[in-house]
Amino acid sequence: MQEIDFYRADSLDDLYRLLAETGGRVIAGGTDALVQMQRDAFPAAVVIDASRIADLRYIREDGDRIEIGALTTYADLLASSLVRRAAPSLIAAAETVGAPQTRARGTLGGNIANASPAGDTLPPLLALDASVTLSSARGVRILPLGEVLRGPRQTCLEPGEIIASIAFRRLPQPSGSAFIKLSNRRGMSIAVVSVAAALALDAAGRIAEGRVALGAVAPTAVRSPAAESVLAGEVPGAETFRRAARAALDDIAPIGDVRATAAYRREAAARLVVRALNGAWEHAGGRAGA
Ligand SMILES: Cc1cc2nc3c(=O)[nH]c(=O)nc-3n(C[C@H](O)[C@H](O)[C@H](O)COP(=O)(O)OP(=O)(O)OC[C@H]3O[C@@H](n4cnc5c(N)ncnc54)[C@H](O)[C@@H]3O)c2cc1C
């Protein structure tokens, strides 16, 4: 195992100072970082444990805006009635992560910073049009999540910068969201393909806004502009959802690996888009199972 110097920060100022002085890297729950350390693959010789900084662990509502501190764990999300109401897709994703131990330690900020193409919270957050607040001793930047994710395990974070929080706006009612993960076993499993959808309906029951995001089918989790432009203004239902699913295939570039072939991932992605849209429609009060 790698030799790594360990520091613990008790406040944000302490964290920024340690990051500047040591050139180290922050860790939160450590659930990804420790696995990387065991494989000698952690990209730093100094780690700074941020897990005790209470200012980074919260779930807040301000009007229609929900903000979640980066150190919020999956268990925190699952215990939040606010998140359950505002973002059932994010709850569905948190439920599928690892085991109870992983959900007790692993954080939302860590899932984003780790930037796995298969990270479970990424499709729901993309479909919620989430933005990420990055902070450092130099100041604050707020970016759409899609701009933070740059490639497998790559983000736009600069040295000394951390993910401070994630925010999204509730869609106007009636609206709903859903997340579906396909994996090779029921628990403790990485997504073979995952899809999140969010729908807002207008007074006539048409789709005012439809968003689709997919995981494990491109170098990062991605939104599907092609599927979203099919959905806009349409009557929700099987025919529309199937057209959106076909369009989504233009926005993905799956690879084959030990979990699935590229062809299987494309086929699965199309089916999961239909199911996720059905789920979002059902949450929005529409007819399920069309
Ligand atoms: C047994 C097991 C099962 C798992 N199952 C799943 C699963 O089903 N789905 C899934 O998506 N993931 C899964 N994971 C991966 C992991 O639990 C999640 O990605 C988790 O959210 C990582 O959060 P963390 O706080 O533990 O991150 P850490 O391990 O502390 O950090 C991960 C990376 O993010 C960086 N980082 C962490 N927080 C910040 C921050 N605030 N700002 C900047 N950089 C930061 C660290 O430097 C590091 O590079 C699993 C892991 C294990 C060990």
Side-chain angles (χ1 to χ4, degrees):
M1 189 158 157
Q2 272 170 282
E3 287 265 325
I4 290 183
D5 287 339
F6 181 89
Y7 293 82
R8 174 170 290 140
D10 293 319
S11 67
L12 262 177
D13 286 344
D14 206 21
L15 178 60
Y16 297 145
R17 180 184 57 76
L18 285 166
L19 284 168
E21 280 175 14
T22 66
R25 203 176 161 107
V26 66
I27 60 166
T31 59
D32 275 313
L34 279 153
V35 173
Q36 288 167 19
M37 287 173 198
Q38 279 164 348
R39 295 177 182 155
D40 290 345
F42 191 73
V46 175
V47 296
I48 303 154
D49 175 14
S51 64
R52 296 196 183 174
I53 303 179
D55 288 350
L56 293 174
R57 188 170 178 179
Y58 59 85
I59 300 173
R60 282 185 203 137
E61 183 178 27
D62 180 10
D64 64 352
R65 186 171 180 275
I66 314 284
E67 181 171 340
I68 304 176
L71 291 185
T72 301
T73 64
Y74 299 103
D76 294 336
L77 291 175
L78 292 171
S80 164
S81 54
L82 170 60
V83 179
R84 270 187 196 273
R85 281 194 312 276
S89 54
L90 190 56
I91 292 291
E95 279 169 347
T96 75
V97 171
Q101 296 90 331
T102 327
R103 295 194 288 272
R105 296 277 321 165
T107 65
L108 195 57
N111 204 227
I112 295 171
N114 195 51
S116 161
D120 280 331
T121 67
L122 305 177
L125 289 173
L126 286 168
L128 291 165
D129 205 24
S131 59
V132 180
T133 298
L134 307 176
S135 72
S136 68
R138 300 179 297 277
V140 166
R141 299 195 284 159
I142 301 175
L143 295 175
L145 173 59
E147 287 180 28
V148 173
L149 305 171
R150 290 277 165 88
R153 313 242 174 232
Q154 287 163 31
T155 67
C156 71
L157 265 72
E158 288 169 2
E161 203 168 40
I162 62 155
I163 295 177
S165 66
I166 300 96
F168 57 87
R169 290 191 182 280
R170 286 174 194 267
L171 282 166
Q173 290 296 335
S175 60
S177 69
F179 170 77
I180 309 214
K181 172 177 174 178
L182 175 70
S183 47
N184 289 334
R185 25 171 228 270
R186 277 176 71 92
M188 295 284 287
S189 201
I190 294 173
V192 169
V193 177
S194 59
V195 176
L199 288 180
L201 306 179
D202 65 16
R206 287 181 174 264
I207 299 170
E209 183 154 12
R211 303 192 201 124
V212 174
L214 300 96
V217 288
T220 65
V222 287
R223 284 263 295 259
S224 171
E228 292 177 10
S229 65
V230 166
L231 294 169
E234 290 295 321
V235 176
E239 210 277 317
T240 302
F241 296 164
R242 274 199 294 271
R243 279 196 295 124
R246 276 196 298 277
L249 298 181
D250 291 341
D251 289 327
I252 63 174
I255 54 164
D257 62 15
V258 287
R259 288 187 194 87
T261 62
Y264 178 85
R265 282 197 163 95
R266 287 182 74 78
E267 178 71 31
R271 287 168 191 246
L272 261 57
V273 168
V274 174
R275 284 177 53 195
L277 284 166
N278 258 319
W281 189 31
E282 185 180 358
H283 272 127
R287 189 163 52 90

PDB file of all heavy atoms in Angstrom, residues 18 33 37 133 143 202-203 219 224 243 246:
ATOM      1  N   LEU A  18      -4.423  23.733   4.625  1.00  0.00           N
ATOM      2  CA  LEU A  18      -3.687  22.472   4.472  1.00  0.00           C
ATOM      3  C   LEU A  18      -3.516  22.115   2.996  1.00  0.00           C
ATOM      4  O   LEU A  18      -2.467  21.619   2.581  1.00  0.00           O
ATOM      5  CB  LEU A  18      -4.409  21.347   5.219  1.00  0.00           C
ATOM      6  CG  LEU A  18      -4.248  21.382   6.741  1.00  0.00           C
ATOM      7  CD1 LEU A  18      -5.264  20.453   7.412  1.00  0.00           C
ATOM      8  CD2 LEU A  18      -2.829  20.983   7.138  1.00  0.00           C
ATOM      9  N   ALA A  33     -11.366   6.387  -2.120  1.00  0.00           N
ATOM     10  CA  ALA A  33      -9.953   6.707  -1.946  1.00  0.00           C
ATOM     11  C   ALA A  33      -9.176   5.529  -1.349  1.00  0.00           C
ATOM     12  O   ALA A  33      -8.069   5.209  -1.804  1.00  0.00           O
ATOM     13  CB  ALA A  33      -9.813   7.929  -1.050  1.00  0.00           C
ATOM     14  N   MET A  37      -5.974   3.609  -2.742  1.00  0.00           N
ATOM     15  CA  MET A  37      -4.701   3.532  -1.999  1.00  0.00           C
ATOM     16  C   MET A  37      -4.211   2.093  -1.915  1.00  0.00           C
ATOM     17  O   MET A  37      -3.032   1.808  -2.062  1.00  0.00           O
ATOM     18  CB  MET A  37      -4.877   4.091  -0.588  1.00  0.00           C
ATOM     19  CG  MET A  37      -5.007   5.591  -0.546  1.00  0.00           C
ATOM     20  SD  MET A  37      -5.404   6.119   1.137  1.00  0.00           S
ATOM     21  CE  MET A  37      -6.034   7.755   0.810  1.00  0.00           C
ATOM     22  N   THR A 133     -21.033  23.794  -6.689  1.00  0.00           N
ATOM     23  CA  THR A 133     -20.235  24.913  -6.177  1.00  0.00           C
ATOM     24  C   THR A 133     -18.858  24.400  -5.804  1.00  0.00           C
ATOM     25  O   THR A 133     -18.724  23.495  -4.969  1.00  0.00           O
ATOM     26  CB  THR A 133     -20.919  25.563  -4.951  1.00  0.00           C
ATOM     27  OG1 THR A 133     -22.180  26.074  -5.367  1.00  0.00           O
ATOM     28  CG2 THR A 133     -20.084  26.705  -4.388  1.00  0.00           C
ATOM     29  N   LEU A 143     -20.644  25.790 -11.407  1.00  0.00           N
ATOM     30  CA  LEU A 143     -20.665  25.243 -12.769  1.00  0.00           C
ATOM     31  C   LEU A 143     -21.752  24.190 -12.892  1.00  0.00           C
ATOM     32  O   LEU A 143     -22.032  23.458 -11.925  1.00  0.00           O
ATOM     33  CB  LEU A 143     -19.323  24.567 -13.085  1.00  0.00           C
ATOM     34  CG  LEU A 143     -18.080  25.456 -13.134  1.00  0.00           C
ATOM     35  CD1 LEU A 143     -16.846  24.590 -13.323  1.00  0.00           C
ATOM     36  CD2 LEU A 143     -18.201  26.457 -14.265  1.00  0.00           C
ATOM     37  N   ASP A 202     -47.279  20.281 -18.700  1.00  0.00           N
ATOM     38  CA  ASP A 202     -48.007  21.552 -18.709  1.00  0.00           C
ATOM     39  C   ASP A 202     -49.482  21.299 -18.372  1.00  0.00           C
ATOM     40  O   ASP A 202     -49.888  20.155 -18.093  1.00  0.00           O
ATOM     41  CB  ASP A 202     -47.814  22.288 -20.049  1.00  0.00           C
ATOM     42  CG  ASP A 202     -48.419  21.528 -21.228  1.00  0.00           C
ATOM     43  OD1 ASP A 202     -49.243  20.613 -20.992  1.00  0.00           O
ATOM     44  OD2 ASP A 202     -48.060  21.840 -22.368  1.00  0.00           O
ATOM     45  N   ALA A 203     -50.278  22.375 -18.406  1.00  0.00           N
ATOM     46  CA  ALA A 203     -51.682  22.255 -17.975  1.00  0.00           C
ATOM     47  C   ALA A 203     -52.453  21.279 -18.851  1.00  0.00           C
ATOM     48  O   ALA A 203     -53.430  20.659 -18.411  1.00  0.00           O
ATOM     49  CB  ALA A 203     -52.336  23.633 -18.010  1.00  0.00           C
ATOM     50  N   PRO A 219     -17.673   8.269 -21.725  1.00  0.00           N
ATOM     51  CA  PRO A 219     -16.561   8.513 -20.785  1.00  0.00           C
ATOM     52  C   PRO A 219     -16.990   9.203 -19.489  1.00  0.00           C
ATOM     53  O   PRO A 219     -16.315   9.093 -18.472  1.00  0.00           O
ATOM     54  CB  PRO A 219     -15.617   9.414 -21.604  1.00  0.00           C
ATOM     55  CG  PRO A 219     -15.916   9.073 -23.029  1.00  0.00           C
ATOM     56  CD  PRO A 219     -17.390   8.785 -23.079  1.00  0.00           C
ATOM     57  N   SER A 224     -28.807  13.625 -22.510  1.00  0.00           N
ATOM     58  CA  SER A 224     -29.087  13.331 -23.913  1.00  0.00           C
ATOM     59  C   SER A 224     -29.918  14.464 -24.516  1.00  0.00           C
ATOM     60  O   SER A 224     -31.154  14.436 -24.454  1.00  0.00           O
ATOM     61  CB  SER A 224     -29.835  12.011 -24.078  1.00  0.00           C
ATOM     62  OG  SER A 224     -30.252  11.886 -25.439  1.00  0.00           O
ATOM     63  N   ARG A 243     -39.484   6.922 -29.050  1.00  0.00           N
ATOM     64  CA  ARG A 243     -38.739   7.811 -29.964  1.00  0.00           C
ATOM     65  C   ARG A 243     -37.587   8.487 -29.215  1.00  0.00           C
ATOM     66  O   ARG A 243     -36.482   8.628 -29.729  1.00  0.00           O
ATOM     67  CB  ARG A 243     -39.672   8.862 -30.576  1.00  0.00           C
ATOM     68  CG  ARG A 243     -40.462   8.310 -31.760  1.00  0.00           C
ATOM     69  CD  ARG A 243     -41.073   9.428 -32.584  1.00  0.00           C
ATOM     70  NE  ARG A 243     -42.072  10.173 -31.830  1.00  0.00           N
ATOM     71  CZ  ARG A 243     -42.040  11.492 -31.621  1.00  0.00           C
ATOM     72  NH1 ARG A 243     -41.063  12.229 -32.111  1.00  0.00           N
ATOM     73  NH2 ARG A 243     -42.979  12.092 -30.915  1.00  0.00           N
ATOM     74  N   ARG A 246     -34.758   5.988 -28.818  1.00  0.00           N
ATOM     75  CA  ARG A 246     -33.959   5.808 -30.049  1.00  0.00           C
ATOM     76  C   ARG A 246     -33.023   7.003 -30.236  1.00  0.00           C
ATOM     77  O   ARG A 246     -31.858   6.858 -30.584  1.00  0.00           O
ATOM     78  CB  ARG A 246     -34.872   5.675 -31.271  1.00  0.00           C
ATOM     79  CG  ARG A 246     -35.390   4.247 -31.470  1.00  0.00           C
ATOM     80  CD  ARG A 246     -35.948   4.040 -32.874  1.00  0.00           C
ATOM     81  NE  ARG A 246     -37.094   4.908 -33.178  1.00  0.00           N
ATOM     82  CZ  ARG A 246     -38.357   4.652 -32.830  1.00  0.00           C
ATOM     83  NH1 ARG A 246     -38.645   3.542 -32.158  1.00  0.00           N
ATOM     84  NH2 ARG A 246     -39.326   5.479 -33.150  1.00  0.00           N
TER      85      ARG A 246
END
